[in-house]
Amino acid sequence: HLLADSARFVDETLNLIPRKSQPYVGASAFAHKGGLHVSALAKNAKAYEHVDPARVGNEQRVLVSELSGRANIWSTLKKAGLVREHEDATDLGQAKWRERSAAILERVKRLENLGYSFEGAEASVHLMLLHASPGYCSPFTVLDYSVTTSDENLDSASRAVAKGGRRTAQRARATVKVRIADGDDEDRLDVAEGSGPVDALAAALVRSLAPTFPFVDSIRLVDYKVRILDPHSATRVEI
């Protein structure tokens, strides 16, 4: 593990952002994407990996994208612990999971054709697999939400001059209505403010969920990415 630890230490010391494509220690150094590629990898990892990722402090990653095959979904299912080598009476069964993996793969490809991207959204893929699991019940459902933004001046340059060059963040207010699956199907309506629409939505959602799921208070929104799914729709775009 010394190689990966040393690379992280150097990045932190020099205040550098780790490069995903960096050999051996990068997050994408042992990432696999193509369907046939992943299928062969499952049979013999040495055919595509010249060293065991664990020896350098890294790990193997199987990405799910429009280039994926069933092997990608199957590998992700096994990594998530949803498929076991030795089944018991409570298991869904590998044959059934193989059928569902084909449906999940078709859904991924259909969404990616619409502009979605799952290559860097492993948690979204994991949720998709959970939803396909037998007996899965979502702990909560967002019934509806709304966001309003406010600012003192539409002209950012004039706003900066008026404040003596000091820039202030745009304020946003979010309202979220959530139904908690606790047996009583309790509905909660909460409002929160933030420095932008996403920040306000995250704060309102945490406020609704925290009474039942206290651990969400420790979750911090660090970064997010906005994707324009249809660049030809001007201001009517879906993101």
Side-chain angles (χ1 to χ4, degrees):
H1 294 179
L2 290 177
L3 187 59
D5 291 342
S6 299
R8 282 191 287 269
F9 173 77
V10 171
D11 287 336
E12 291 176 4
T13 303
L14 300 179
N15 197 25
L16 298 175
I17 298 175
R19 288 189 296 115
K20 292 183 178 181
S21 59
Q22 195 171 7
Y24 293 103
V25 297
S28 299
F30 296 94
H32 307 276
K33 183 174 179 179
L36 289 175
H37 186 154
V38 174
S39 180
L41 185 76
K43 296 178 176 65
N44 184 6
K46 292 182 179 179
Y48 286 92
E49 294 177 345
H50 53 287
V51 64
D52 182 358
R55 292 185 60 187
V56 294
N58 211 330
E59 64 177 355
Q60 183 186 99
R61 294 175 60 216
V62 174
L63 307 179
V64 175
S65 72
E66 78 283 358
L67 299 179
S68 298
R70 293 191 187 187
N72 297 61
I73 303 296
W74 190 251
S75 176
T76 307
L77 282 167
K78 293 180 72 174
K79 185 177 180 180
L82 297 174
V83 175
R84 291 184 286 184
E85 296 295 335
H86 304 288
E87 304 169 11
D88 57 35
T90 63
D91 288 338
L92 177 62
Q94 293 194 16
K96 286 291 185 182
W97 264 123
R98 290 189 187 278
E99 293 177 10
R100 295 194 179 193
S101 65
I104 294 169
L105 178 61
E106 182 61 30
R107 176 176 172 80
V108 168
K109 292 187 174 183
R110 187 166 62 250
L111 289 173
E112 292 226 341
N113 285 335
L114 294 174
Y116 288 80
S117 177
F118 292 97
E119 186 173 329
E122 296 177 7
S124 296
V125 175
H126 185 77
L127 285 175
M128 200 178 298
L129 300 180
L130 285 179
H131 290 167
S133 303
Y136 174 78
C137 178
S138 179
F140 69 92
T141 303
V142 176
L143 301 178
D144 59 65
Y145 66 90
S146 63
V147 182
T148 57
T149 58
S150 60
D151 219 325
E152 298 176 8
N153 196 322
L154 288 175
D155 183 359
S156 59
S158 299
R159 184 170 61 251
V161 171
K163 293 184 176 294
R166 292 181 293 105
R167 300 187 63 182
T168 57
Q170 184 186 61
R171 300 301 299 173
R173 182 179 295 115
T175 303
V176 176
K177 188 176 184 180
V178 173
R179 176 166 295 166
I180 306 296
D182 58 356
D184 297 327
D185 287 339
E186 177 189 357
D187 292 352
R188 297 176 185 169
L189 183 67
D190 283 282
V191 181
E193 291 186 334
S195 57
V198 176
D199 184 37
L201 278 170
L205 190 58
V206 167
R207 185 169 293 178
S208 287
L209 299 178
T212 305
F213 310 104
F215 64 88
V216 300
D217 273 329
S218 63
I219 298 176
R220 296 291 179 266
L221 179 63
V222 177
D223 196 5
Y224 63 92
K225 181 187 294 184
V226 176
R227 293 182 60 89
I228 298 176
L229 300 184
D230 182 5
H232 304 293
S233 298
T235 57
R236 303 188 307 277
V237 297
E238 181 179 0
I239 59 175

